[in-house]
Amino acid sequence: GENVEQHPSTLSVQEGDSAVIKCTYSDSASNYFPWYKQELGKGPQLIIDIRSNVGEKKDQRIAVTLNKTAKHFSLHITETQPEDSAVYFCAAPNTGRRALTFGSGTRLQVQP
Amino acid sequence: DAGVIQSPRHEVTEMGQEVTLRCKPISGHNSLFWYRQTMMRGLELLIYFNNNVPIDDSGMPEDRFSAKMPNASFSTLKIQPSEPRDSAVYFCASSPGQDTQGGLFFGEGSRLTVL
């Protein structure tokens, strides 16, 4: 089945700096790569996703890049703000493409 | 629009007791998922349904766990008997399509503590 690895496990940045979180996946047939943000006491919330027919997607301060050859994708947050502090998860479709396998999560802390 | 609704939000029970977690998916969504989240194992898929039919329950830890979806607007996850190692946050999620590309929409979770 799909194996998703995520790094780093924790990331601390100063407000205004950029943050980058990276994930690798194992199944070369995977074609959909979402990112989720989880705030304390809440469920994960989809913030951006990318499909395999594009290499980059942006939405205001967040962007996701995909390298299908290397089987990795990354989340980029620019001009970080304290409200960006949360746990971020990457994911990829599991075998059968009907559910998602999640990475282990990255705890991002933005220092004011 | 209402999101995925889970109940109870918190449950504290004693070992050996039966636990039932409930989920109401987003109206019109065809797929429903149960995930478990722990510090050690992260987010694990337990089971998912498509059009109320269980598709893959290979993530269910053991026979003490069971899940049902009697109709399109309701699902339950039952643990009987419960054990301390079942303590976790259990999430229900729903998706508009038959695959993952519509995104998964998660509820707020049910935090279970088994003493």
Side-chain angles (χ1 to χ4, degrees), chain A residues 32-83:
Chain A
Y32 173 69
F33 306 93
W35 285 89
Y36 286 79
K37 177 183 181 182
Q38 185 177 26
E39 297 178 333
L40 193 63
K42 295 186 177 294
Q45 181 179 17
L46 178 67
I47 57 172
I48 194 168
D49 56 14
I50 191 169
R51 287 164 174 76
S52 59
N53 58 342
V54 297
E56 184 176 7
K57 182 178 179 180
K58 289 184 179 180
D59 183 2
Q60 299 182 4
R61 295 187 298 107
I62 60 174
V64 55
T65 59
L66 171 64
N67 183 327
K68 286 214 71 179
T69 302
K71 292 191 284 187
H72 65 71
F73 56 111
S74 300
L75 177 70
H76 304 253
I77 306 174
T78 59
E79 302 173 24
T80 54
Q81 301 168 4
E83 52 264 38

Side-chain angles (χ1 to χ4, degrees), chain B residues 3-105:
Chain B
V4 174
I5 299 172
Q6 292 187 244
S7 64
R9 290 295 313 278
H10 302 274
E11 174 100 1
V12 180
T13 190
E14 293 190 348
M15 182 174 62
Q17 296 298 304
E18 178 179 295
V19 173
T20 299
L21 308 178
R22 298 173 178 81
C23 175
K24 180 181 182 346
I26 294 172
S27 177
H29 280 195
N30 295 323
S31 298
L32 182 140
F33 308 81
W34 283 100
Y35 280 84
R36 178 171 68 175
Q37 186 175 40
T38 61
M39 288 294 293
M40 292 299 295
R41 300 174 68 90
L43 275 163
E44 300 175 278
L45 176 67
L46 299 178
I47 185 172
Y48 62 93
F49 297 81
N50 181 252
N51 292 326
N52 312 338
V53 176
I55 302 300
D56 184 352
D57 65 355
S58 60
M60 296 286 261
E62 47 198 274
D63 292 345
R64 297 184 298 106
F65 286 69
S66 62
K68 294 182 179 180
M69 191 166 186
N71 57 62
S73 59
F74 184 66
S75 177
T76 59
L77 178 68
K78 186 175 292 187
I79 308 172
Q80 166 63 17
S82 59
E83 297 182 3
R85 59 192 167 125
D86 302 331
S87 297
V89 182
Y90 290 81
F91 287 103
C92 176
S94 67
S95 176
Q98 295 190 19
D99 58 22
T100 60
Q101 298 206 17
L104 264 58
F105 296 80

